[in-house]
Amino acid sequence: MPDPLTPTTVLEVAVPAPLMGVFDYLYPPHQTNRLQPGIRVRVPFGRGTRVGLVMGLKATSDLPASRLRRVDAVLDGEPLLPDDLQRLLSWASAYYQHPPGEVFATAIPLGLREGRGLAEGEPAFSLTPAGRCTDDALLKRAPAQWRAFQLLFHSTDPLPASRLESLGPAWRRAIHALIARGWAAETRLAPALEPVPATADVPPELTPDQSRAVVAISRTAGFRCFLLDGVTGSGKTEVYLRCIRERLDAGQQCLVLVPEIGLTPQLLDRFRRRFPVPMAVLHSGLAEGERLRAWTAARDGTARIVIGTRSAIFTPMLQPGLIVVDEEHDASYKQQDGFRYSARDLAVWRARQLGVPLVLGSATPALESVENARSGRYERLVLAERAGTAGQPTVHLIDMRTHQPTDGLTQPLLAAIRRHLDDDGQALIFLNRRGYAPTLVCVGCGTVVGCDRCDARMVLHQQRGRVTCHHCGSDRPAPVACPQCQAELRAIGQGTERLEQALAREFPGHPLERIDRDTTRRRGEIERRLERVRSGEARLLLGTQMLTKGHDFPGVTLVGIIDVDQGLFGTDFRSAERLAQTFIQVAGRAGRADRPGEVWLQTLFPDHPLLRVLLSEGYGAFAARALEERQQAGWPPWSALALVRAEATQRAPVFAFLEEAAASARALVRDRAPAGLKVLGPAPAPMERRAGRYRGQLLLQATARRDLQRLLPEFRTALAGVPSQRRVRWSLDVDPAELF
Ligand code: ADP
Ligand code: ZN
């Protein structure tokens, strides 16, 4: 039974504003029925109004009633967000210590945030039974109505407004006249989604490994988290597709998350060909109208499959049955600004709430996930072999100390490329650095051309005749001589632009495609270039990280990796893991079809223990070794981290703030005395100055996540309260993906 409403009944509203906590409001005037959590309300806020989400109701507020303001308007008749999503938002707000109103704003499409309604389908018109029996001769003297009548008469389905536009500008008045006569009626079509193909693909026969995985996942009722650990090309996607099939047949919806650049047209095609059902596709490139339609269709159950990038984890579903996170190790699942959530971690929480299975898939699982599988929290499913006939590529190391490179290319690598091209193979060359050369140095005085706003070098982009900072985007004409001594400048090191020239010189007559952010700025350019590779027109393919995700190049038989050495000595505790993942993912592009592949790796450090384990024993052995190292050093998953970042145009306020932050953190630790909670820093960020701002950080590290979580609310309140916080821009990042 609903409680009787008293004049003081209070609504707790999450209002988009940079303040922790919900805000109390009084019921709107004349509201007689009880409002439910999950509906939107328009509330006065400051001098304006905002749209917020009702999170709860209570009898009284801590504030005196005289200070409470009233809700202006109630925007929804029923909860906009299902229960599980409301709980996810509250939990995420508390876990990441981010204001609930902003969490809510991140989770829903813009139109809804601004107070508009759910997507509606296009208006459509049809004749009423009375209209069907009428004599059209009665319309002889109203030619516009007569023509509209004819169109409706000859259509069995309601005609969308867009089809009536062919009647000219008078159509609307004509239709309304017919409606007024009682001969026609207006309806709404379901919100339009992607067209549904008529036929479905025939799936391949599963390998024994795949079958085992599908059976394990499909017979799970309730929550369980699976780590689908399968080498590249082992048919992980095929496993997802089969499990999705089972859930669709059971009348359930499926949510599939993919990394930012993994949502390729190929992948979508594969889903569309397999499942002739309505699908909602959600990614950052959508127009707001499209996003709202997709979101609405997922919410009302029209869309049976929801596929999207990071923020799709917040998509409401009517009948959820399965969540899949593809390439679960991918860094793009962690939002790096504002509300710094991890979509992968939220997927675990949401699946548990929903009581549905979750599949985390990767050839190179995050070390956290590897540990969760080892400890039994996740169930590990292994696909050890490539699907179809493809075998594993062989890997060769090239010692750059004995084989001096010219323009980045050693003789053994050139010879291998030549052999594969002569053999009608395609070669993929990977270099994760765009531009012509990363360093421009004076031969006279040794001055390096740097960015004025960052502690970083300017990268030479020779084709454009400019130098660019890859950290802040500063861009200016390339200097012709040393700004200090006027001597000659020399370009040191390779970027993809320089490598492209070198490869074109070495292999004239073999068409080459370069794929990096510079060559794919125009819309559709990346697809055009990939198509030239896939069709076999291009023989050589050169590119950055963009190439490593989700792309399938059946004709590539050789992968050349120009240099991974930066990653071997990275400053971040995740550097080694990232390097290993990149290496395995790039190498996995070789020989995916029926031809065996080869991988050639150039390095100055062929004896580096990490490389040795990775190459001789594979990612699993590497992960075990790396986890041991993490345990010794006390890094995650053996500890939980929270990072305070601060920046300002001057150094002093940054450190003044961080010192105060450190003092309050230490005081909290002392008062609460949780053993194993350490406050590290403050310290300058690895690149202290960036885009004209000084940056520093403070790290909280706890052996038990619970201890850290207990401390964070008070710590955040303390941060927001210290006087020095006004002079800096600061943020709190729980489970930071990178320490900078
Ligand atoms: P992953 O997602 O692990 O990279 P995919 O599912 O994309 O692997 O499979 C790699 C290739 O092998 C694809 O071309 C796919 O069509 C094919 N494939 C997958 N499973 C099978 C199978 N059981 N039999 C034959 N081919 C398969
Ligand atoms: Zn810069």
Side-chain angles (χ1 to χ4, degrees):
M1 272 302 283
D3 307 334
L5 288 178
T6 66
T8 54
T9 301
V10 172
L11 294 174
E12 294 178 311
V13 182
V15 182
L19 293 165
M20 275 311 278
V22 289
F23 296 83
D24 290 352
Y25 285 90
L26 292 173
Y27 253 62
H30 316 303
Q31 181 75 34
T32 48
N33 34 8
R34 191 180 163 81
L35 297 173
Q36 296 175 60
I39 61 165
R40 290 171 304 157
V41 287
R42 190 182 293 284
V43 294
F45 194 83
R47 264 178 260 153
T49 66
R50 296 203 184 164
V51 173
L53 187 77
V54 175
M55 306 290 279
L57 297 108
K58 56 189 181 185
T60 54
S61 170
D62 294 340
L63 293 171
S66 60
R67 291 201 37 212
L68 291 179
R69 302 168 82 177
R70 253 177 219 289
V71 166
D72 281 340
V74 175
L75 302 178
D76 297 306
E78 56 178 284
L80 180 70
L81 302 178
D83 250 15
D84 82 284
L85 209 49
Q86 288 174 45
R87 280 198 301 273
L88 180 71
L89 299 186
S90 314
W91 182 81
S93 164
Y95 184 85
Y96 292 106
Q97 285 293 304
H98 197 71
E102 291 194 345
V103 169
F104 155 69
T106 304
I108 68 165
L110 182 69
L112 297 173
R113 238 180 292 158
E114 290 175 342
R116 286 197 289 278
L118 290 166
E120 288 193 335
E122 207 186 348
F125 303 92
S126 55
L127 292 185
T128 58
R132 287 241 163 244
C133 315
T134 203
D135 179 1
D136 63 352
L138 293 171
L139 292 172
K140 272 276 153 55
R141 277 195 274 150
Q145 286 180 51
W146 186 81
R147 272 179 295 149
F149 184 91
Q150 295 303 321
L151 268 184
L152 298 185
F153 189 82
H154 292 290
S155 165
T156 43
D157 296 322
L159 271 188
S162 52
R163 294 272 305 282
L164 287 154
E165 273 158 16
S166 64
L167 295 173
W171 76 268
R172 206 175 280 278
R173 202 147 20 97
I175 281 289
H176 283 112
L178 291 175
I179 293 174
R181 288 172 189 263
W183 294 350
E186 180 173 341
T187 53
R188 294 246 168 205
L189 300 177
L193 283 170
E194 307 282 329
V196 177
T199 56
D201 248 6
V202 183
E205 186 144 341
L206 294 181
T207 64
D209 277 352
Q210 284 175 320
S211 294
R212 258 193 300 282
V214 171
V215 168
I217 298 161
S218 294
R219 70 157 186 239
T220 298
F223 169 70
R224 190 162 180 86
C225 182
F226 296 93
L227 179 62
L228 183 62
D229 185 349
V231 298
T232 48
S234 59
K236 292 184 290 296
T237 310
E238 189 58 45
V239 171
Y240 309 149
L241 294 172
R242 287 308 168 90
C243 298
I244 290 170
R245 162 97 286 152
E246 302 273 333
R247 302 285 157 174
L248 293 179
D249 289 347
Q252 295 179 313
Q253 292 169 282
C254 300
L255 172 63
V256 182
L257 298 187
V258 295
E260 240 143 50
I261 23 188
L263 190 50
T264 56
Q266 277 161 288
L267 182 77
L268 289 177
D269 261 11
R270 210 163 149 191
F271 272 77
R272 287 208 188 93
R273 282 199 315 266
R274 187 63 65 86
F275 304 116
V277 301
M279 247 165 63
V281 181
L282 290 147
H283 57 85
S284 55
L286 287 184
E288 276 309 316
E290 295 172 300
R291 179 188 313 282
L292 187 55
R293 271 199 298 281
W295 198 89
T296 305
R299 179 182 177 276
D300 68 20
T302 312
R304 307 311 297 167
I305 300 175
V306 180
I307 177 163
T309 49
R310 183 174 61 226
S311 65
I313 188 58
F314 299 113
T315 315
M317 288 185 290
L318 191 66
Q319 299 140 322
L322 175 71
I323 303 180
V324 173
V325 181
D326 187 28
E327 307 291 3
E328 63 90 34
H329 65 279
D330 197 277
S332 74
Y333 285 124
K334 173 87 179 175
Q335 171 127 328
Q336 300 284 13
D337 54 15
F339 172 29
R340 295 173 160 82
Y341 65 96
S342 155
R344 192 239 353 247
D345 296 348
L346 289 184
V348 178
W349 203 87
R350 191 169 180 201
R352 180 178 295 122
Q353 283 291 303
L354 289 170
V356 304
L358 168 69
V359 182
L360 304 176
S362 178
T364 53
L367 295 188
E368 284 85 349
S369 302
V370 172
E371 175 55 24
N372 277 327
R374 196 200 56 80
S375 72
R377 290 187 57 206
Y378 298 172
E379 182 172 337
R380 181 161 174 255
L381 301 168
V382 181
L383 307 181
E385 304 285 326
R386 283 186 165 189
T389 46
Q392 285 292 330
T394 52
V395 182
H396 309 266
L397 273 186
I398 302 171
D399 185 345
M400 283 203 282
R401 293 167 307 182
T402 45
H403 300 283
Q404 297 281 330
T406 317
D407 285 338
L409 297 160
T410 57
Q411 283 306 323
L413 179 58
L414 286 170
I417 297 174
R418 188 158 292 122
R419 202 156 29 73
H420 280 259
L421 290 178
D422 289 347
D423 238 17
D424 263 349
Q426 282 172 307
L428 182 160
I429 311 300
F430 174 78
L431 174 60
N432 208 15
R433 201 184 300 120
R434 65 201 168 83
Y436 184 84
T439 307
L440 204 51
V441 62
C442 170
V443 295
C445 66
T447 296
V448 170
V449 177
C451 177
D452 299 333
R453 308 173 65 220
C454 306
D455 297 331
R457 295 167 179 187
M458 294 297 268
V459 177
L460 176 63
H461 287 249
Q462 200 176 57
Q463 275 163 351
R464 289 192 295 123
R466 301 183 75 87
V467 289
T468 299
C469 173
H470 287 186
H471 301 282
C472 72
S474 289
D475 186 75
R476 57 177 194 256
V480 283
C482 174
Q484 306 296 327
C485 74
Q486 309 308 315
E488 185 196 335
L489 290 170
R490 187 162 297 160
I492 310 282
Q494 340 292 324
T496 47
E497 195 184 313
R498 187 176 213 168
L499 205 56
E500 179 180 23
Q501 287 180 12
L503 287 167
R505 212 169 39 237
E506 289 287 339
F507 303 103
H510 293 281
L512 185 157
E513 280 307 332
R514 180 178 119 215
I515 297 186
D516 57 30
R517 281 235 305 284
D518 295 315
T519 65
T520 55
R521 279 185 208 281
R522 265 183 300 151
R523 211 186 152 93
E525 192 61 32
I526 182 160
E527 284 80 22
R528 277 192 289 280
R529 285 173 186 258
L530 288 172
E531 191 40 47
R532 284 197 289 269
V533 175
R534 237 171 267 126
S535 70
E537 185 189 334
R539 308 309 305 167
L540 272 159
L541 169 62
L542 161 66
T544 56
Q545 198 88 22
M546 280 180 101
L547 288 180
T548 60
K549 313 227 169 136
H551 300 295
D552 205 357
F553 305 111
V556 167
T557 52
L558 171 109
V559 166
I561 299 175
I562 296 305
D563 133 44
V564 294
D565 292 346
Q566 280 175 318
L568 289 175
F569 303 100
T571 51
D572 199 289
F573 73 93
R574 280 185 228 269
S575 299
E577 178 184 358
R578 297 258 186 260
L579 162 68
Q581 289 165 341
T582 303
F583 172 79
I584 299 284
Q585 297 287 346
V586 177
R589 305 302 114 191
R592 301 225 340 156
D594 46 356
R595 297 196 194 188
E598 278 177 30
V599 179
W600 290 74
L601 171 69
Q602 303 188 144
T603 177
L604 279 169
F605 307 95
D607 301 321
H608 193 286
L610 163 63
L611 268 186
R612 296 252 301 270
V613 177
L614 186 61
L615 299 192
S616 58
E617 296 169 64
Y619 186 80
F622 157 79
R625 172 78 70 91
L627 275 166
E628 269 169 37
E629 285 181 12
R630 291 247 189 116
Q631 184 165 26
Q632 275 152 23
W635 286 119
W638 311 102
S639 63
L641 305 178
L643 186 67
V644 181
R645 296 187 181 89
E647 56 172 62
T649 49
Q650 256 122 57
R651 185 183 279 123
V654 172
F655 283 89
F657 168 73
L658 290 173
E659 289 295 353
E660 280 193 272
S664 66
R666 293 198 169 100
L668 278 172
V669 172
R670 205 173 40 240
D671 294 351
R672 303 296 180 75
L677 209 150
K678 279 190 283 190
V679 181
L680 306 167
M687 182 192 295
E688 185 174 15
R689 212 165 69 94
R690 179 172 174 166
R693 305 177 75 88
Y694 288 87
R695 308 177 316 146
Q697 56 192 31
L698 177 74
L699 187 66
L700 269 58
Q701 183 178 43
T703 38
R705 181 179 306 277
R706 217 176 322 114
D707 289 339
L708 183 63
Q709 279 290 323
R710 260 193 223 132
L711 215 67
L712 284 179
E714 263 182 278
F715 179 53
R716 194 189 190 285
T717 309
L719 289 182
V722 298
S724 55
Q725 67 102 13
R726 287 164 204 270
R727 298 183 55 211
V728 300
R729 209 189 273 164
W730 65 272
S731 64
L732 179 62
D733 189 352
V734 179
D735 303 336
E738 269 145 322
L739 300 185
F740 65 74

